[in-house]
Amino acid sequence: MAEPWGFTVDVGLPRHTTRHVLTTGGESAVREVAASARRPGRWLKIFEEQERVLPWLGPDRTPDAPGFLMTASLHREAGRLPVPGGYRLRSRTRGGVTRALVTTDDGAFATRGQIALPGGSGTAVIDQIETAVEHRRKGLGSLVMRTLQDAAAARGAGAAVLGGTPDGRALHESLGSGGG
């Protein structure tokens, strides 16, 4: 869901129910969102220097690993995306969120991710991109990202934003995302 300061993403995990992604607003927005999101399971993603932001959050917040706010222009992929041998790709859209999942032929988890287009903003939010360690470096993360980007472009998104980890930054940049 689009917010004046960024986006709210319903994550839906037991210990991580909601993520507030602050892309604008500075100190006042950070303090406001942090105060309203004190319940367990609510995470904040803030793209500022940690030393600067920590005093704004209050004593009960614990910082996580550094991240990068990235953007990408979206376009439709030409034709069906190839799936490497031994894997299956499934995707579905429900409630405005498209989820993609890659499993091995026998059903074991390999890679996943999701993308949402909040409030007709024209900018999609990419979230929860994850690849199991034993399935990395096989093109599966790229497959999921391209699948999600294509789905959002088909629904009218011209751009996407993503808060990425240091480990994921290279993948996102290889797909045309810019660091921020």
Side-chain angles (χ1 to χ4, degrees):
M1 170 181 359
E3 304 282 359
W5 38 259
F7 303 94
T8 295
V9 178
D10 291 325
V11 177
L13 298 174
R15 287 197 223 148
H16 187 177
T17 59
T18 307
R19 181 177 303 153
H20 300 292
V21 181
L22 287 85
T23 57
T24 62
E27 180 178 356
S28 62
V30 170
R31 287 184 183 276
E32 178 184 331
V33 175
S36 69
R38 294 225 181 270
R39 286 181 286 196
R42 297 195 176 223
W43 291 21
L44 306 178
K45 279 203 178 235
I46 305 164
F47 301 94
E48 294 273 352
E49 292 297 321
Q50 183 173 332
E51 299 79 32
R52 184 175 179 205
V53 173
L54 284 176
W56 305 344
L57 297 176
D60 59 334
R61 292 284 181 180
T62 304
D64 203 354
F68 303 91
L69 181 60
M70 295 171 276
T71 61
S73 295
L74 300 183
H75 61 277
R76 297 293 314 266
E77 293 287 334
R80 187 180 163 122
L81 298 169
V83 179
Y87 293 96
R88 294 186 326 198
L89 168 67
R90 292 187 305 254
S91 65
R92 65 178 168 88
T93 301
R94 188 181 317 166
V97 177
T98 299
R99 291 176 173 86
L101 173 67
V102 176
T103 60
T104 61
D105 282 341
D106 64 0
F109 170 79
T111 307
R112 72 175 178 141
Q114 64 184 26
I115 194 165
L117 186 55
S121 68
T123 301
V125 179
I126 301 169
D127 189 44
Q128 294 186 26
I129 306 300
E130 177 186 2
T131 301
V133 173
E134 63 273 20
H135 297 286
R136 292 182 182 164
R137 304 276 183 240
K138 297 180 181 182
L140 301 175
S142 295
L143 173 63
V144 165
M145 288 292 291
R146 291 186 193 288
T147 299
L148 296 173
Q149 291 173 346
D150 185 62
R155 292 184 8 236
V161 295
L162 167 69
T165 63
D167 289 341
R169 186 176 189 182
L171 166 65
H172 309 306
E173 288 177 342
S174 75
L175 294 169
S177 300

